[in-house]
């Protein structure tokens, strides 16, 4: 029984010593320690603009380019970082589809008076 108590005390003592040795002392000022947990709030916005050309004859729009602008904005509204990218797209040849005028069906109006009883 005595051996178990001694062994238990030795294990407790060795674990306390191991945890004390494992801790590193941080000698930095408090302002630098506070920066470890602070993350500057930022907003990342991506704007995409499609550039197209309208054909006067067929009234179809052909996409010729895409502009992408990414901005990183801090909590005061200042732009920290900005990048622009333009991708040119080759227009695809499209055949004009003949426009057929839509035919309107006659509208039938039936008035039913539900306030009176039917004979």
């Amino acid at each position: 029984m005595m051996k178990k108590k001694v062994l238990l005390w030795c294990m407790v003592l060795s674990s306390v010593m191991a945890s004390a040795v494992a801790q590193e002392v941080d000698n930095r000022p408090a302002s630098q320690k506070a920066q470890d947990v602070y993350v500057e709030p930022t907003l990342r916005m991506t704007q995409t603009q499609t550039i197209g050309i309208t054909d006067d004859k067929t009234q179809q729009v052909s996409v010729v380019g895409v502009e992408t602008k990414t901005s990183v904005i801090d909590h005061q509204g200042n732009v920290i970082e900005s990048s622009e990218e333009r991708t040119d797209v080759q227009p695809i040849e499209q055949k004009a589809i003949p426009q057929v005028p839509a035919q309107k069906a006659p509208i039938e109006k039936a008035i039913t008076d539900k306030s009176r009883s039917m004979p």
Side-chain angles (χ1 to χ4, degrees), residues 1-95:
M1 185 75 166
M2 188 65 142
K3 286 184 178 182
K4 289 183 181 179
K5 288 183 181 180
V6 171
L7 184 60
L8 182 64
W9 280 107
C10 288
M11 289 177 62
V12 170
L13 184 63
S14 65
S15 65
V16 169
M17 289 178 59
S19 65
V21 171
Q23 292 179 353
E24 293 182 24
V25 178
D26 193 2
N27 294 328
R28 297 181 298 158
S31 61
Q32 288 181 352
K33 291 178 185 177
Q35 290 295 322
D36 289 345
V37 295
Y38 179 73
V39 177
E40 184 73 26
T42 56
L43 171 68
R44 182 176 302 272
M45 285 192 337
T46 302
Q47 300 170 334
T48 304
Q49 181 179 13
T50 305
I51 303 167
I53 297 175
T54 304
D55 187 12
D56 293 333
K57 295 178 184 175
T58 60
Q59 298 298 320
Q60 290 183 345
V61 178
S62 300
V63 176
V64 294
V66 176
E67 289 182 359
T68 304
K69 180 180 179 182
T70 303
S71 302
V72 178
I73 302 169
D74 66 357
H75 66 285
Q76 295 173 343
N78 302 324
V79 176
I80 299 172
E81 179 183 327
S82 180
S83 66
E84 291 186 26
E85 182 179 318
R86 180 183 171 121
T87 306
D88 292 327
V89 179
Q90 296 295 330
I92 300 171
E93 294 274 335
Q94 295 181 354
K95 295 181 181 177

